[in-house]
Amino acid sequence: MASRQSNLAYDLSLFETKPKKAQPLLNVVKTPKYQRRDRMLAIRAVSTVAVVVSIICVMLYSRAQLTELTDRIGTYNTEYQNLVSERTRLNAEIEGKVSLRSVEESAKSMGLDKMQAYQVEYVVVDEDEEGVVPAAGEQQPSFAQKLGLYIQSFLEYIHLR
């Protein structure tokens, strides 16, 4: 039993601090191969940062432009709505002034009445009579002038459609 209570089972020397061995000094030798590699890494890092910063600047500029254009669109939409309401008001005003009732009232105020049957005169024109009288010194248009007028009227007709 006495052997069970002894501390022979534990090696306490493992927990003691041991003196450190002196490590040999390492000499760092820089060869041109590694210097070039280190320089390329530095250039690569700087160029990456420059690209990232330029992308951020471009994004900020585009956002500023977008905001400015959005404000302009809002201003133009407001102006458009004001013009539409002004147009509606003016159309209502014109319809009020040109309506049949207002025209009749203004005609009555001027002393005008509706035309009566006795005021109508009929004119009888024979078929051989013509109403066109050329002015003195006026020449008939040539074929080229007639053709030009025809083409011009045709083009006007097309644009109106």
Side-chain angles (χ1 to χ4, degrees), residues 8-129:
L8 291 176
Y10 300 110
D11 186 13
L12 297 177
S13 65
L14 292 175
F15 296 107
E16 293 176 0
T17 58
K18 296 178 183 175
K20 292 186 179 181
K21 294 179 184 177
Q23 291 188 357
L25 293 174
L26 299 176
N27 292 334
V28 177
V29 177
K30 292 188 176 183
T31 61
K33 177 181 176 183
Y34 294 122
Q35 286 177 349
R36 215 174 307 136
R37 184 188 68 186
D38 292 342
R39 195 175 314 136
M40 288 303 292
L41 285 176
I43 290 172
R44 201 178 284 165
V46 169
S47 63
T48 303
V49 168
V51 167
V52 169
V53 167
S54 63
I55 288 173
I56 289 172
C57 289
V58 167
M59 287 178 61
L60 289 175
Y61 179 74
S62 66
R63 292 292 178 151
Q65 290 293 322
L66 180 65
T67 303
E68 183 178 324
L69 291 175
T70 303
D71 289 343
R72 253 194 228 165
I73 289 172
T75 303
Y76 290 144
N77 280 338
T78 303
E79 185 177 339
Y80 174 73
Q81 293 299 326
N82 291 339
L83 290 174
V84 166
S85 64
E86 179 71 13
R87 179 177 176 249
T88 304
R89 185 189 67 80
L90 289 174
N91 281 340
E93 185 177 329
I94 287 173
E95 287 176 7
K97 288 183 178 182
V98 181
S99 69
L100 184 60
R101 178 180 285 171
S102 66
V103 170
E104 285 179 356
E105 289 174 2
S106 62
K108 283 184 183 179
S109 68
M110 291 181 195
L112 300 174
D113 290 328
K114 288 186 178 181
M115 189 169 68
Q116 303 296 324
Y118 69 89
Q119 294 173 329
V120 176
E121 287 186 29
Y122 294 98
V123 178
V124 178
V125 179
D126 292 334
E127 288 182 19
D128 56 344
E129 294 180 14

Side-chain angles (χ1 to χ4, degrees), residues 122-158:
Y122 294 98
V123 178
V124 178
V125 179
D126 292 334
E127 288 182 19
D128 56 344
E129 294 180 14
E130 291 186 13
V132 178
V133 177
E138 185 178 304
Q139 297 178 1
Q140 293 292 331
S142 67
F143 177 73
Q145 290 173 340
K146 286 181 183 179
L147 183 64
L149 289 173
Y150 175 74
I151 291 172
Q152 182 181 6
S153 66
F154 180 71
L155 290 176
E156 287 176 1
Y157 177 76
I158 289 174

